[in-house]
Amino acid sequence: MHGVHLEHECSVAVVRATGELDAYAAPELVSTLEDLSGEPRIVADLSAVSFLDSTALGVLARAVRTFGASGSRVRVVLPTGSARRIFEITTLDRALPVAATRSDALAELDR
């Protein structure tokens, strides 16, 4: 099971994902991220993601790059445990604008 939800907190658009993000969940992730076009501050909160495959990872990486190119400020809250491993293997944990927690991400974007 998975979930992708759009929330707003402190004038920041927050995509909160839960469960397993795989090729099956990718279209929902794409749709939610497309809804954020023009948002000045965005957080992708993956802290409750238990599994992430390369399809979902590619969707996320492209979106972060696109948002950054359009002038949006973005932070990604990485998952913990085994779901984090794909970020480490691909070194995206060093390439993406990451924050340790959702609170940290919101605070960084508020500066």
Side-chain angles (χ1 to χ4, degrees), residues 44-55:
D45 184 353
L46 307 178
S47 59
V49 170
S50 58
F51 173 81
L52 189 91
D53 77 357
S54 60
T55 303

Side-chain angles (χ1 to χ4, degrees), residues 5 17 22 44 46 55 60 63 65 67 75 79 89 93 96 98:
H5 309 280
D22 54 16
L46 307 178
T55 303
L60 181 67
R65 184 177 58 240
F67 292 142
R75 293 295 179 275
I89 291 169
D93 60 326
L96 295 176
V98 300

Side-chain angles (χ1 to χ4, degrees), residues 14-77:
V14 179
V15 175
R16 183 176 57 88
T18 60
E20 298 183 357
L21 293 182
D22 54 16
Y24 177 76
E28 184 177 355
L29 182 59
V30 168
S31 176
T32 302
L33 291 169
E34 285 175 348
D35 289 344
L36 300 178
S37 179
E39 289 282 349
R41 299 181 303 163
I42 300 165
V43 169
D45 184 353
L46 307 178
S47 59
V49 170
S50 58
F51 173 81
L52 189 91
D53 77 357
S54 60
T55 303
L57 184 64
V59 166
L60 181 67
R62 280 188 299 279
V64 168
R65 184 177 58 240
T66 300
F67 292 142
S70 69
S72 296
R73 296 178 59 215
V74 182
R75 293 295 179 275
V76 179
V77 181

Side-chain angles (χ1 to χ4, degrees), residues 67-107:
F67 292 142
S70 69
S72 296
R73 296 178 59 215
V74 182
R75 293 295 179 275
V76 179
V77 181
L78 298 180
T80 58
S82 62
R84 186 182 186 109
R85 186 76 180 125
I86 192 168
F87 287 93
E88 295 166 349
I89 291 169
T90 61
T91 67
L92 283 173
D93 60 326
R94 289 181 249 151
L96 295 176
V98 300
T101 66
R102 182 174 175 157
S103 296
D104 288 349
L106 293 169

